[in-house]
Amino acid sequence: DPDDGFNYKQMMVRDERRFKMADKDGDLTATKEEFTAFLHPEEYDYMKDIVVQETMEDIDKNGDGFIDLEEYIGDMYSQDGDADEPEWVKTEREQFVEFRDKNRDGKMDKEETKDWILPSDYDHAEAEARHLVYESDQDKDGKLTKEEIVEKYDLFVGSQATDFGEALVRHDE
């Protein structure tokens, strides 16, 4: 679609590249584990390079193979005529300069991007679980009741921690 830049051919090339990377034995047939690696590449060490490559392709608008400050901010925030940036955008600019761009060359390379999106000390499942509790725990007791989960059902259905809602269907407690 020329209006939103969505291109099925590009998507097919990308998915095929990811599938080949996930297909460890190269038989062009996905085992359960290979298919899971295809769907959730960030969870598999041998797939992390493809996650970094896809992220860089998505954000690197000028095609130079790097993510500069404006591309980094542009991925999260569109000014849309606003004269003043929200405070969180200013904080993200500082994050880029102080922490993301480790070699201070004004852009993130592949290794800097990897450190950003796949930090070695970051547990995705734990972070998602903490997010679900933070957003749903209305009485802030650190525990979720059935009522609190039902109240935020849409959050849980969209969560990878519940396997996109599958965990809610499989359990009746």
Side-chain angles (χ1 to χ4, degrees):
D1 183 350
D3 293 335
D4 65 9
F6 191 77
N7 183 321
Y8 283 107
K9 287 182 182 166
Q10 288 174 328
M11 192 172 83
M12 289 290 291
V13 167
R14 184 178 175 134
D15 282 353
E16 186 174 342
R17 182 180 62 201
R18 186 191 285 197
F19 184 88
K20 285 179 180 176
M21 179 77 79
D23 184 23
K24 284 180 91 169
D25 58 14
D27 66 357
L28 298 179
T29 303
T31 64
K32 183 178 180 180
E33 182 175 334
E34 290 170 339
F35 188 61
T36 304
F38 172 78
L39 292 176
H40 304 288
E42 68 282 352
E43 299 295 330
Y44 292 82
D45 283 338
Y46 75 99
M47 295 291 290
K48 290 188 177 180
D49 284 343
I50 202 89
V51 174
V52 173
Q53 182 178 359
E54 289 175 359
T55 300
M56 291 188 79
E57 288 171 355
D58 290 344
I59 299 174
D60 176 23
K61 301 302 182 198
N62 67 11
D64 68 353
F66 299 95
I67 299 173
D68 63 36
L69 177 58
E70 293 313 311
E71 290 168 333
Y72 174 79
I73 295 298
D75 184 58
M76 298 178 262
Y77 174 70
S78 176
Q79 213 158 0
D80 288 336
D82 288 342
D84 295 328
E85 287 183 338
E87 195 59 39
W88 69 267
V89 175
K90 293 174 185 160
T91 301
E92 282 300 327
R93 284 185 187 281
E94 292 169 12
Q95 286 287 317
F96 183 92
V97 172
E98 295 295 319
F99 302 108
R100 308 277 184 243
D101 179 18
K102 294 182 183 341
N103 64 6
R104 304 279 193 259
D105 65 354
K107 55 194 175 196
M108 289 192 302
D109 59 25
K110 185 177 179 180
E111 280 306 308
E112 290 166 327
T113 302
K114 185 176 185 177
D115 289 344
W116 168 44
I117 62 170
L118 299 168
S120 56
D121 59 348
Y122 185 75
D123 183 334
H124 288 279
E126 182 178 339
E128 180 66 6
R130 287 182 187 276
H131 169 69
L132 291 172
V133 171
Y134 176 81
E135 292 294 333
S136 306
D137 186 16
Q138 293 173 343
D139 60 10
K140 302 300 177 199
D141 66 352
K143 300 173 187 172
L144 296 180
T145 64
K146 180 179 179 181
E147 291 74 24
E148 288 172 327
I149 292 170
V150 170
E151 180 70 27
K152 296 286 185 165
Y153 182 80
D154 57 331
L155 188 67
F156 284 83
V157 169
S159 172
Q160 288 183 20
T162 62
D163 206 10
F164 298 104
E166 286 299 312
L168 299 178
V169 177
R170 288 193 303 259
H171 301 287
D172 59 11
E173 54 262 299

